[in-house]
Amino acid sequence: MASLQVLYQEKPIEYELKQGANLIGRLAENPIPINHPTASGKHAVIHAEGGEFFLEDIGSRNGTYVNQQRINGRVKLRHNDMIRFGDAQARFLDPTSAAPTPSAAGAAPSRVAKPDLITGQIDIRDETEATITGEVLGRGRFGGLDVNPQAKLKAVLEISNSLAGTIDLGALLPKILDTLFNIFKYADRGCILLKDERTGEMVPRAMRHRRKDQDATVRLSRTILNKVLKDKAGILSADASTDEAFSGSQSIADLKIRSMMCVPLLGLDGEPLGVVSIDSQNPLGQFTSDDLELLMAVAGQAALAYENSRLAQSYAEKMKQDAELEIARNVQRNLLPTELPKVDGYQFYASYDAAKAVGGDMYDFFVLPEGKICLAFGDVAGKGVPGALIMSRMSSCVQSTIRHVHDVVEAIQAINNHMSDGKIEGKFVTFILAIVDTRNHTVTLANAGHASPIIRRANGTLEQFNQDIAGPAIGMMEDYPYESETRTLEPGDMVVITTDGVEEAMNVNGDLYTTERVMEVIKNGPPEAEKLGKLLLEDVRRHAAGRSQSDDITIMTFGRNP
């Protein structure tokens, strides 16, 4: 039979849940009355429908929570769910739906009997008085090993053995608390809070409670919590419910906690990763300063296990990302043309080297009617995965456009308008679109913000296309009226296009390769497109002298045979 167990300090009260709506609130006429100042008169309702139970907040002042999460709308309840109406605690019980536990005969043998622990909630309160009766100042990850070293060694070995092989962070933290309950026999409740890397706030990550018949909420003093984090010290609060000096601290006194310890979890850099806190409600089981020293040592080993687990997960995630990037690299390579155009009297060559697994450069060739070859060459402002995604879209756009539009100006304007629609701020593409007429021996070119291509004439002189016709990069300005320029190609003339990864390649001293050096290599290079392109790439690498590539390097060369 399902019920709601309302947790009072004196004695829990259990209410059977009837079919239909079970109204909960502070008013006495409610089927489930809750005598707590933070509960609203009509706070929430549990709907019992065909063996299932759903909790719904009905506009309460202080909210309704299930397992520490504030609810909105209807939430399905499960056996042993912890519920909070404001600050009033309750537990949903439905033994018929609980997962069966293994029988004693079928249970695996265990060296140490584990306590019957359940999950609960953590409440950090902002009272002003600290309830400190003892303190261990920070002396490194494991505290002072010279104090009771035999007990500390035994406890560290026990938690090391318990946590060995656990790399799942979700499983590791509860196991830490389970082990602490074995070490500290009088502990009733324990919790672990970890620092959120984005906000710096302490966030509850694990909680354990030994006594099923009592409130499972751990209430922590923010004053103590802040002192533990600031001083990197362990704090002991002993017999707070009877000591007049601490009667003003509700976070201790209102639950009759006889003893509480809170210590930091210190990382490899000595900074707190979080805290671990345990408390005891047993008046005969007060923690001592020796216990605090012991907990400091155990917490040091727990923090080490946590960091090792986190590193193992990071490594596994990196391996997965590397595998995915390798797939992406292969996909991007397959977007590049697999064959270069073959036209009598002409040569074509292109090379692509990404600075990372994937890059933001592209090139493509398209064979058009009447002996014409279309060349596309682009460079995204950015590299890596973002640049590769933009370039993939750009490549698809170019291919679909060139299938239907064979005029350079019309095509580049269509490409620009498509890429400008829904553009990503700061991500644009410098781009060159050219059509080589192999019958009339001309090249017509439109430039969208890219460095002007270089023409090496057969007599060794260098020319460049008119940079004044260059318009803005693709994706910067919709409906821009691009212009084109046509140059004649004589036998032996060669055209070279590069991305800025060539000119800006740096050596170990930070010296750039420079445009002047590019022109020098082109001027003195061989008259064959492939040999000239490879020579330029080799010279860039020779200049870098082993320094890692900082940008994608793409080179295209084409021209007429001598």
Side-chain angles (χ1 to χ4, degrees):
M1 187 67 68
S3 62
L4 184 71
Q5 186 182 68
V6 181
L7 304 174
Y8 294 105
Q9 293 181 27
E10 298 79 13
K11 183 181 179 181
I13 300 177
E14 196 164 317
Y15 297 91
E16 181 181 338
L17 296 174
K18 308 290 187 181
Q19 278 296 114
N22 297 267
L23 192 60
I24 305 164
R26 202 172 67 253
L27 297 178
E29 62 266 24
N30 290 325
I32 304 178
I34 294 184
N35 184 20
H36 197 285
T38 63
S40 299
K42 294 184 178 181
H43 195 106
V45 62
I46 293 179
H47 302 277
E49 301 173 355
E52 295 185 325
F53 298 84
F54 301 88
L55 177 63
E56 181 180 8
D57 185 276
I58 50 176
S60 66
R61 182 177 68 256
N62 295 314
T64 303
Y65 299 78
V66 176
N67 298 326
Q68 305 180 51
Q69 301 295 321
R70 185 163 185 167
I71 68 170
N72 292 299
R74 286 162 55 110
V75 174
K76 185 177 180 180
L77 294 176
R78 292 175 174 79
H79 180 62
N80 257 340
D81 275 349
M82 294 303 302
I83 304 173
R84 180 153 57 90
F85 307 99
D87 285 338
Q89 307 291 331
R91 181 184 295 113
F92 172 72
L93 300 176
D94 187 11
T96 59
S97 66
T101 56
S103 63
S110 176
R111 185 176 60 85
V112 179
K114 294 193 174 184
D116 185 15
L117 303 180
I118 60 175
T119 59
Q121 302 185 66
I122 301 170
D123 184 13
I124 302 175
R125 296 197 167 187
D126 295 316
E127 87 294 341
T128 57
E129 293 188 50
T131 60
I132 299 171
T133 60
E135 182 175 353
V136 174
L137 295 177
R139 285 176 283 175
R141 179 192 290 271
F142 298 97
L145 293 177
D146 55 331
V147 180
N148 201 1
Q150 184 176 355
K152 288 185 176 179
L153 178 59
K154 180 181 177 182
V156 168
L157 289 175
E158 182 172 345
I159 196 167
S160 298
N161 183 59
S162 175
L163 303 180
T166 304
I167 62 173
D168 180 5
L169 291 177
L172 178 70
L173 299 178
K175 286 184 72 172
I176 291 174
L177 291 175
D178 293 345
T179 307
L180 292 179
F181 273 69
N182 285 329
I183 296 173
F184 299 96
K185 302 300 182 182
Y186 289 116
D188 288 319
R189 295 176 298 195
C191 65
I192 294 176
L193 285 74
L194 297 178
K195 182 178 291 187
D196 188 293
E197 294 181 356
R198 294 175 300 172
T199 65
E201 294 292 322
M202 284 293 154
V203 180
R205 294 299 187 192
M207 192 274 175
R208 284 291 188 268
H209 184 260
R210 195 193 297 266
R211 301 188 181 188
K212 291 186 177 181
D213 59 338
Q214 295 190 14
D215 185 359
T217 301
V218 174
R219 288 184 171 87
L220 293 178
S221 160
R222 193 174 296 277
T223 304
I224 291 179
L225 184 60
N226 290 340
K227 184 172 180 60
V228 169
L229 295 172
K230 179 182 178 183
D231 298 343
K232 304 174 189 176
I235 299 298
L236 172 67
S237 174
D239 204 13
S241 64
T242 59
D243 193 327
E244 294 180 359
F246 311 123
S247 60
S249 176
Q250 289 299 110
S251 65
I252 300 296
D254 65 356
L255 290 181
K256 297 182 173 62
I257 295 175
R258 303 305 184 200
S259 193
M260 186 272 287
M261 295 187 292
C262 186
V263 301
L265 296 168
L266 299 179
L268 293 173
D269 58 358
E271 293 301 315
L273 301 168
V275 300
V276 57
S277 174
I278 60 174
D279 64 53
S280 169
Q281 297 181 17
N282 189 334
L284 302 178
Q286 296 185 23
F287 296 129
T288 66
S289 58
D290 287 344
D291 291 324
L292 185 60
E293 287 276 4
L294 185 61
L295 183 59
M296 284 285 285
V298 173
Q301 184 62 27
L304 183 61
Y306 172 75
E307 285 204 305
N308 287 340
S309 177
R310 191 166 61 171
L311 288 172
Q313 282 201 351
S314 296
Y315 176 75
E317 290 172 2
K318 184 181 184 304
M319 294 293 290
K320 181 181 178 181
Q321 290 173 357
D322 288 347
E324 291 174 348
L325 281 175
E326 180 62 22
I327 295 173
R329 187 185 74 85
N330 292 332
V331 169
Q332 188 178 41
R333 288 285 180 181
N334 289 333
L335 293 177
L336 299 176
T338 55
E339 293 184 359
L340 300 177
K342 294 181 174 60
V343 180
D344 289 341
Y346 278 81
Q347 306 175 34
F348 297 90
Y349 171 79
S351 67
Y352 171 72
D353 289 88
K356 298 183 178 181
V358 291
D361 287 359
M362 69 153 291
Y363 68 85
D364 213 339
F365 299 92
F366 306 92
V367 178
L368 304 180
E370 300 177 356
K372 294 179 180 179
I373 305 293
C374 180
L375 311 176
F377 192 90
D379 181 4
V380 173
K383 48 188 175 292
V385 173
L389 291 173
I390 298 295
M391 190 49 71
S392 295
R393 181 184 175 193
M394 180 73 180
S395 177
S396 175
C397 177
V398 171
Q399 291 184 27
S400 61
T401 300
I402 297 303
R403 285 193 182 98
H404 307 287
V405 183
H406 298 164
D407 179 81
V408 166
V409 171
E410 290 181 17
I412 199 170
Q413 287 177 348
I415 293 167
N416 177 59
N417 287 341
H418 179 81
M419 295 297 293
S420 297
D421 183 20
K423 65 182 178 182
I424 300 175
E425 186 176 351
K427 293 296 180 185
F428 50 86
V429 185
T430 64
F431 182 67
I432 285 177
L433 189 66
I435 291 183
V436 180
D437 187 336
T438 61
R439 295 179 182 177
N440 297 314
H441 308 300
T442 61
V443 54
T444 302
L445 179 145
N447 188 340
H450 200 84
S452 180
I454 301 170
I455 305 175
R456 203 274 304 276
R457 296 298 183 182
N459 60 9
T461 60
L462 299 182
E463 299 176 10
Q464 285 186 279
F465 283 82
N466 185 4
Q467 193 67 28
D468 292 339
I469 71 163
I474 297 295
M476 291 188 68
M477 185 182 300
E478 194 170 0
D479 293 327
Y480 183 84
Y482 289 93
E483 301 177 58
S484 65
E485 180 183 6
T486 300
R487 295 286 184 98
T488 300
L489 293 178
E490 302 292 342
D493 290 349
M494 197 66 59
V495 180
V496 180
I497 313 174
T498 64
T499 57
D500 55 11
V502 174
E503 293 85 351
E504 296 174 3
M506 287 190 290
N507 60 19
V508 292
N509 298 320
D511 301 322
L512 296 175
Y513 187 75
T514 72
T515 303
E516 290 75 19
R517 186 160 174 176
V518 172
M519 290 188 168
E520 181 182 349
V521 172
I522 294 174
K523 181 177 181 179
N524 299 316
E528 293 87 6
E530 182 176 355
K531 291 182 179 179
L532 179 59
K534 289 183 176 180
L535 177 66
L536 178 57
L537 181 59
E538 290 171 2
D539 197 58
V540 170
R541 289 174 174 165
R542 190 179 304 113
H543 169 79
R547 175 165 177 162
S548 59
Q549 191 175 322
S550 60
D551 199 359
D552 305 327
I553 294 177
T554 306
I555 299 171
M556 178 185 285
T557 54
F558 65 91
R560 294 183 66 181
N561 293 340

